[in-house]
Amino acid sequence: MRWWPLTRSEAFGLPPGCRVLGDCCPAHLIDQHRRIWSERTDRLDLLLVLAATSTAEQDGISAAGATACSRRLTAVADAELLLNGPAAGRRWPLPPLPAGVSPALLGHAVLPWVPLNPSVAALGLPVEPDFPHLRFEGGAAGPANCVSSGHAMSAARVQRLWSQGQRLGRRLRRPLVLAECVPGGTTTAQAVLTALGVPVQGLISGSARQPPHALKRQLVAAGLAEAGLGPDPAPQAVVAAVGDPFQALSAGLLVGASDGSQPLLLAGGSQMAAVLALAMTASSEDARKRLSERVMLGTTAWLAEERFPGEDRPPLDRLIDALAARYGVGTVALSSGVRFHDSCHQQLRDYEHGFVKEGVGAGGLLLLAQLQGISSADLQASCDEAMRALLEPPVTSRP
């Protein structure tokens, strides 16, 4: 007979290895979201938002591509892999990584298990995707300026994207999983959260094994000094100063969804926390409560369990609690229990050593599959199978 007490995650009946992040969310909300996403439905919607910021051009800022040039293709290559899988001919080559493999591979491995209807939105990419995608602005809009400029986008562009996101959020008819691919996006997330008054010093990770904290702080400080936002800035002004197009569209989507009835799963880490903070800032007290009832954040075990030197708690736990303290409502955040310790592929085992960690909705999708009854062993096997297919000689289609 078991004599030790149940952990908090076990008490909520979460699948093995899954974990509740942070300490500030009410128990009834955690149980409510677990039940919502455990229900088997005919179809769920998945929206992957691709966006670009010139912040990704900074040397050493991101490991989502080994060079600045390769990072210009990361978003379209990841989306193509997620949608079409590793065995299909690829128009867009995956960028070389220091270690690991694109998290889009993990997301694709989930698709056979969960009835998802995927769509892709492309915002300001340096290259135009040749697969079907949603357009919310003209192709000439281009990437946002580097966060250090303090003038990332025009106020008019942010307003347009935010308004289109609101319309999209109001029109949701099914549960939505929101994912992103924005190289350099953890830096814009840090800038946005800092500008909104959320204390995030030392809490923001990144795709590199050792995130470039000093470089991020330098870029964010330069951008905020240049922007001169002042105290309590409006959320759209913050995005225009130091944000990216993904944040403008997605924050608007959350604001619009707060008036509806559909649940949303934010598949990611700090970038999703920044979007949620923008929506909370733009909302009344009642609307914030509705958001906490509608929105859950889901991420990978590797990001959720990451520790920085000298810290006794994972930074993502502390970030979730910082959001609760700032906005007066708790955010349900869960991590997947899928691990790759015994994977037969080094590229997947690299996740256990701090490489890549999250992206392209991988954590939220793995979590969703587990909540719907798929075992972590089956999901790991699917990821291994996808990795084997990816390692086969690629077939490159002609433009």
Side-chain angles (χ1 to χ4, degrees):
M1 178 180 294
R2 176 175 177 158
W3 57 266
W4 60 91
L6 293 175
T7 67
R8 190 167 180 235
S9 299
E10 289 172 331
F12 288 110
L14 297 179
C18 295
R19 187 167 73 82
V20 177
L21 308 185
D23 295 326
C24 297
C25 194
H28 76 278
L29 279 184
I30 297 172
D31 188 60
Q32 172 183 307
H33 283 275
R34 179 196 61 78
R35 287 187 286 103
I36 287 171
W37 293 103
S38 296
E39 292 179 1
R40 301 288 293 184
T41 64
D42 292 336
R43 184 68 64 177
L44 304 169
D45 287 331
L46 166 65
L47 176 61
L48 171 61
V49 181
L50 314 179
T53 166
S54 296
T55 307
E57 304 284 321
Q58 296 285 328
D59 288 338
I61 198 66
S62 173
T67 65
C69 183
S70 69
R71 289 192 288 273
R72 295 170 192 157
L73 300 179
T74 297
V76 291
D78 279 352
E80 184 181 53
L81 176 58
L82 177 72
L83 294 173
N84 299 334
R90 293 190 294 280
R91 166 68 176 86
W92 305 100
L94 291 170
L97 303 179
V101 66
S102 167
L105 188 79
L106 315 188
H108 180 78
V110 171
L111 296 184
W113 296 102
V114 180
L116 284 160
N117 176 41
S119 58
V120 175
L123 305 174
L125 300 183
V127 295
E128 182 76 6
D130 60 349
F131 45 79
H133 61 280
L134 304 174
R135 294 188 181 186
F136 292 94
E137 57 183 0
N145 296 325
C146 180
V147 67
S148 62
S149 70
H151 303 281
M153 293 175 285
S154 70
R157 182 182 185 185
V158 171
Q159 173 61 42
R160 282 195 302 272
L161 289 173
W162 190 291
S163 296
Q164 290 180 91
Q166 280 187 277
R167 287 195 292 273
L168 183 62
R170 294 190 187 109
R171 295 172 182 171
L172 293 180
R173 295 296 178 265
R174 293 184 293 216
L176 177 69
V177 180
L178 180 66
E180 56 74 30
C181 185
V182 188
T186 56
T187 304
T188 58
Q190 181 167 331
V192 162
L193 288 164
T194 301
L196 294 176
V198 182
V200 295
Q201 191 76 1
L203 303 186
I204 305 299
S205 183
S207 52
R209 185 181 188 184
Q210 296 180 325
H213 295 301
L215 178 57
K216 288 175 183 283
R217 286 195 302 270
Q218 175 187 339
L219 295 174
V220 169
L224 293 177
E226 188 68 29
L229 291 169
D232 299 320
Q236 291 188 25
V238 170
V239 178
V242 294
D244 61 55
F246 156 72
Q247 294 166 342
L249 181 76
S250 300
L253 190 156
L254 293 187
V255 171
S258 69
D259 292 326
S261 60
Q262 296 300 325
L264 293 93
L265 172 55
L266 306 185
S270 58
Q271 289 169 260
M272 292 300 176
V275 164
L276 183 56
L278 286 164
M280 290 284 190
T281 303
S283 300
S284 66
E285 183 177 344
D286 286 343
R288 290 176 184 178
K289 291 178 181 177
R290 292 196 299 273
L291 276 173
S292 71
E293 295 169 353
R294 305 265 194 282
V295 173
M296 180 175 79
L297 187 148
T299 194
T300 65
W302 307 290
L303 185 59
E305 296 179 12
E306 182 179 35
R307 301 284 183 103
F308 298 148
E311 299 294 343
D312 60 347
R313 293 181 69 208
L316 191 54
D317 281 66
R318 296 167 58 206
L319 176 56
I320 296 300
D321 286 345
L323 287 178
R326 172 67 176 83
Y327 295 106
V329 292
T331 297
V332 177
L334 306 178
S335 64
S336 164
V338 175
R339 304 302 296 261
F340 293 144
H341 292 293
D342 56 353
S343 169
C344 57
H345 293 100
Q346 181 62 53
Q347 294 91 335
L348 295 179
R349 294 197 302 273
D350 284 341
Y351 276 80
E352 299 296 339
H353 301 294
F355 294 101
V356 186
K357 294 186 280 286
E358 172 64 284
V360 203
L365 292 171
L366 290 169
L367 171 67
L368 175 61
Q370 283 190 278
L371 290 173
Q372 299 211 347
I374 313 305
S375 72
S376 58
D378 283 340
L379 291 168
Q380 182 195 306
S382 289
C383 292
D384 273 318
E385 182 180 347
M387 192 70 231
R388 279 192 291 272
L390 187 66
L391 293 174
E392 292 293 319
V395 178
T396 305
S397 60
R398 294 183 179 274

